[in-house]
């Protein structure tokens, strides 16, 4: 019988595709990302407990102390911390220009508008958004006014200011949230996730989901709502190429919710009480 000699071969010589794939993950960045997500999860749990305690407070001084805490802590963690992450990644310019990694992806999704129509489209879109927002707000305020005499049980209602002193603290809270959270959730965290995963899509999903989970104290409905808002802010950032626009939109949303809405609701309530008192006097 003729002897056959099998050729020498090595495992790496096998030409399966999965032997040729190189991992795109950056392991040090992945560890930092996991640590950041773990910290955000812990913060969400802690905020839920703090908010539960906050809902039981009647004394304005103690409520203001929480407002102050919810302003200063996010400023340090999200504002300063977000800038530190961008510095470490060498992406501080993401604060004024869209990173090239994101710009290349958005160009494949959104067509470049013509110069003649872009200004008109932006104006119409802004006008439609404002009109829709005012309409929804008017409906909500009218509905809330009917329930003004009932105890507040909603997850968000407890956060609303009850007097002028609390209202004054809600202004810096809203402005800081719009600036610090956008720096962190729209620029720093997506770029860190991109460095860790090598995927733009994954980075946007991770940062948007993290933004929603950070609002767990509002309940699962609040998480879903804020996740949707986070996706909208991410789209605004990517489509406009500027983080200033989602910052402005975020500040406007919070100012309307925490300042303008309570002022209008209180004004409408005072008017209703006055009209009711006048009607009783006339009888």
């Amino acid at each position: 019988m003729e002897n056959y000699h099998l050729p020498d071969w090595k495992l790496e010589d096998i030409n399966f595709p999965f032997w040729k794939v190189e991992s795109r993950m950056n392991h040090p960045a992945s560890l930092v990302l996991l640590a950041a997500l773990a910290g955000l999860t812990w913060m969400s749990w802690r905020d839920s407990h703090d908010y539960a305690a906050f809902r039981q407070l009647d004394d304005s001084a103690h409520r203001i102390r929480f407002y102050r805490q919810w302003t200063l802590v996010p400023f340090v963690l999200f504002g300063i911390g977000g800038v530190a992450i961008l510095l470490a990644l060498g992406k501080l310019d993401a604060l004024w220009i869209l990173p090239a990694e994101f710009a290349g992806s958005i160009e494949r999704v959104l067509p470049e508008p013509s110069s003649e129509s872009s200004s008109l489209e932006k104006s119409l879109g802004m006008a439609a958004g404002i009109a829709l927002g005012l309409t929804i707000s008017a409906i909500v305020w009218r509905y809330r006014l009917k329930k003004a005499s009932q105890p507040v049980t909603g997850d968000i209602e407890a956060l609303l200011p009850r007097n002028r002193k609390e209202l004054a603290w809600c202004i810096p809270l809203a402005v800081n949230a719009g600036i610090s959270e956008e720096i962190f959730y729209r620029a720093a965290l997506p770029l860190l996730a991109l460095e860790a995963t090598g995927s733009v899509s994954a980075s946007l999903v991770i940062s948007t989901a993290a933004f929603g989970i950070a609002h767990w104290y509002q309940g699962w409905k609040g998480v879903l709502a804020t996740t949707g808002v986070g996706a909208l802010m991410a789209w605004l950032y990517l489509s406009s190429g500027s983080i200033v626009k989602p910052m402005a939109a975020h500040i406007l949303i919070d100012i309307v919710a925490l300042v303008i809405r309570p002022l209008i609701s209180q004004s409408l309530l005072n008017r209703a009480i006055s009209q009711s008192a006048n009607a009783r006097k006339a009888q």
Side-chain angles (χ1 to χ4, degrees), residues 251-278:
I251 292 173
L252 179 61
I253 290 172
D254 287 353
I255 287 290
V256 168
L258 295 176
V259 180
I260 298 177
R261 175 178 177 259
L263 283 175
I264 296 178
S265 296
Q266 188 61 45
S267 176
L268 293 174
L269 179 59
N270 291 339
R271 182 183 302 176
I273 293 174
S274 177
Q275 291 175 350
S276 177
N278 293 333

Side-chain angles (χ1 to χ4, degrees), residues 91 93-94 97-108 191 194 200 237:
K91 295 289 186 179
D93 58 354
I97 62 173
L98 186 67
E101 298 89 338
F102 294 152
S105 298
I106 201 64
E107 286 173 358
R108 293 192 292 268
L191 286 170
L194 177 61
V200 172
Y237 175 44

